[in-house]
Amino acid sequence: MDRRLYEEDHEAYRETVREFLAREVEPHKDQWDDDGWIPREVYASAAEAGIYALQVPEEYGGAGVADYRFRMVACEEIARVNALSFGLTISLQDDLVLAYLLDLTDDEQKKRWLPGFTTGSIIGALAMTEPGAGSDLRGMRTSARRDGDSWLLNGQKTFISSGIMSDLVVVAACTDPGAGSSGFSLFGVEKDTPGFERGRKLDKIGLPSQDTAELFFDEARVPATNLIGEEGKGLQYLMSHLPRERLGVSAKALATTRAIFEQTVAYTRERNAFGQPISDFQHTRFELAEMATEIDVATAYVDQSVRAYNGGKLTPVDAAKGKWFVSELQKRVIDRCLQLHGGYGFMREYPVGKAYVDTRIQTIYGGTTEIMKEIIGRDLVSG
Ligand SMILES: Cc1cc2nc3c(=O)[nH]c(=O)nc-3n(C[C@H](O)[C@H](O)[C@H](O)COP(=O)(O)OP(=O)(O)OC[C@H]3O[C@@H](n4cnc5c(N)ncnc54)[C@H](O)[C@@H]3O)c2cc1C
């Protein structure tokens, strides 16, 4: 399909990303999965190579490039080498954390956090989810109360990506229990904050080298200068930034789906059964034809979303449509691709087997498929 999404600069960037991945990621990614950890120096090298944080303004050491097509290129190349745990951390930095740091911080905070973010010496995380509140963010119980020139945070977060490695966590907490949706605020919690502890690294079924953790706050003393944005607007900030996170999920989903699909087409041409390549069975060709069509249709939607995002016009509803549709497509396509690999598909050494477990989370985090449909459905029937 002729996408007409990219220009020369994007293709030149693709070469940079490819070269970086071939050198710094491909040779090590299986070892990282076995170790359950990606060394943090890798992120410093990635930041230096411009694999993420491109959007940071030049005065803070970045390139000041906000064009989301560069993120798309990074997603495609990371998917092509099947480095999905690495890719999630990169996405977490660019699609989640950075947007908060760029849009909501004051000048002093920008000076404190952005240069480190740009060199990879500050890894960020975003902590919304709690043991009792995931989809229902209004149910968050982590609290923050003012004490002189600090805030004291109490509570617990769970499922926080890069929770162990992070140096700076954007934490959502309740600052006024009586104020309903205006009772939440965001805080930048730095790693050595007294009273802030990380729990265990959670034992997931997929993305083995991506760290996901519980965080605990016990009278954690956070300077008042670490309040992000205005007090009471936390929930509003989360809602306005979730479309970017959801576009990130769609971008990763599309890239991984296409990469696994292309690897599967090649596999069906090489694998023989009953004296012929399995691609010669009409059933196989129909499977491939259906998947190719669905992927191309989804590509058109995601490309359109990227253009809308670049133009400041991606709505929460349109981001929700892409998020659920493309992540569900990913789940279906990878399952069908695994089937076409037969028993080999079930082996971890085959990318399709790894992708099967590594991508299962995509319909859950960033807002579940059901919550996406709620957002779309409510919009359709309201007023
Ligand atoms: C690997 C991983 C990484 C994550 N990273 C982060 C992170 O970095 N930061 C962060 O804050 N969170 C993170 N999360 C949390 C993730 O966003 C939540 O798990 C997700 O939003 C779902 O919340 P929950 O787990 O509490 O499920 P629940 O909200 O308990 O949902 C359970 C089921 O009920 C359904 N449901 C809930 N409400 C409704 C409704 N109104 N209508 C219909 N169905 C409904 C859901 O769709 C789901 O099927 C991560 C999770 C994982 C597993």
Side-chain angles (χ1 to χ4, degrees):
M1 193 173 83
D2 180 7
R3 293 173 69 180
R4 298 178 191 216
L5 182 68
Y6 300 123
E7 293 165 23
E8 255 177 47
D9 284 357
H10 305 107
E11 296 307 336
Y13 179 67
R14 188 183 298 283
E15 288 310 311
T16 305
V17 179
R18 255 186 208 178
E19 188 277 326
F20 172 82
L21 294 170
R23 183 166 39 87
E24 304 272 350
V25 173
E26 262 191 287
H28 311 292
K29 67 184 172 64
D30 293 339
Q31 186 62 48
W32 296 338
D33 278 352
D34 289 346
D35 297 346
W37 190 252
I38 301 175
R40 61 175 301 145
E41 304 81 71
V42 178
Y43 297 105
S45 314
E48 195 189 335
I51 310 304
Y52 73 97
L54 281 182
Q55 202 182 339
V56 175
E58 286 176 21
E59 60 184 305
Y60 302 111
V65 176
D67 181 349
Y68 199 80
R69 290 176 292 180
F70 290 99
R71 267 293 299 137
M72 292 283 287
V73 168
C75 283
E76 287 167 9
E77 293 307 310
I78 291 168
R80 209 179 48 79
V81 301
N82 309 299
L84 301 181
S85 290
F86 171 77
L88 180 58
T89 305
I90 297 296
S91 168
L92 173 71
Q93 302 311 300
D94 261 0
D95 292 324
L96 278 79
V97 179
L98 182 56
Y100 291 85
L101 299 185
L102 290 178
D103 299 347
L104 304 173
T105 50
D106 59 29
D107 285 351
E108 183 278 322
Q109 291 170 333
K110 283 191 172 64
K111 279 191 197 119
R112 200 152 33 111
W113 293 328
L114 284 177
F117 188 94
T118 314
T119 58
S121 66
I122 294 181
I123 298 287
L126 175 66
M128 302 179 275
T129 307
E130 301 184 359
S135 304
D136 178 16
L137 286 175
R138 283 178 181 77
M140 285 186 289
R141 292 280 168 269
T142 297
S143 66
R145 68 172 199 281
R146 189 70 191 242
D147 182 47
D149 57 3
S150 311
W151 290 86
L152 291 174
L153 268 63
N154 283 286
Q156 181 182 346
K157 298 286 178 184
T158 194
F159 302 148
I160 306 308
S161 302
S162 296
I164 306 261
M165 185 183 283
S166 54
D167 306 281
L168 174 68
V169 187
V170 177
V171 177
C174 179
T175 39
D176 184 354
S181 38
S182 300
F184 298 89
S185 305
L186 301 183
F187 298 89
V189 179
E190 287 159 311
K191 66 176 171 191
D192 296 324
T193 301
F196 168 38
E197 299 287 340
R198 293 135 207 273
R200 64 201 167 96
K201 178 173 174 286
L202 298 171
D203 187 14
K204 308 189 296 294
I205 60 169
L207 295 170
S209 49
Q210 218 292 317
D211 93 73
T212 310
E214 295 171 310
L215 307 178
F216 298 95
F217 306 92
D218 179 10
E219 294 285 272
R221 187 169 286 278
V222 176
T225 48
N226 284 23
L227 176 73
I228 294 181
E230 287 177 41
E231 184 184 340
K233 289 203 173 162
L235 209 55
Q236 200 176 310
Y237 295 145
L238 294 177
M239 296 305 151
S240 61
H241 285 77
L242 280 166
R244 163 82 185 230
E245 178 176 351
R246 290 172 183 155
L247 178 63
V249 175
S250 303
K252 286 197 296 290
L254 182 68
T256 312
T257 306
R258 193 176 281 285
I260 294 294
F261 174 73
E262 284 172 359
Q263 290 162 23
T264 302
V265 175
Y267 182 83
T268 62
R269 294 168 69 170
E270 286 158 15
R271 177 72 180 169
N272 287 307
F274 297 94
Q276 62 188 60
I278 60 169
S279 57
D280 281 359
F281 300 126
Q282 189 186 48
H283 172 77
T284 303
R285 291 198 305 268
F286 279 16
E287 284 286 283
L288 296 177
E290 283 182 23
M291 288 190 273
T293 308
E294 286 191 285
I295 294 169
D296 279 355
V297 171
T299 301
Y301 189 86
V302 174
D303 287 357
Q304 181 185 312
S305 301
V306 169
R307 289 192 192 95
Y309 181 80
N310 276 351
K313 294 196 173 108
L314 181 68
T315 67
V317 169
D318 288 344
K321 285 178 183 168
K323 200 275 174 186
W324 86 259
F325 185 83
V326 189
S327 61
E328 291 288 343
L329 175 68
Q330 172 177 44
K331 197 163 80 177
R332 286 198 306 278
V333 167
I334 290 178
D335 187 45
R336 291 167 89 174
C337 287
L338 191 150
Q339 186 72 17
L340 287 172
H341 278 75
Y344 294 98
F346 201 59
M347 299 297 121
R348 263 165 42 92
E349 70 192 87
Y350 278 75
V352 68
K354 274 194 172 179
Y356 185 76
V357 284
D358 285 350
T359 62
R360 182 61 186 83
I361 184 59
Q362 289 259 102
T363 61
I364 295 171
Y365 62 16
T368 63
T369 292
E370 296 73 27
I371 294 299
M372 296 305 99
K373 291 180 183 173
E374 274 294 300
I375 293 171
I376 301 159
R378 274 202 304 264
D379 179 68
L380 287 170
V381 298
S382 69

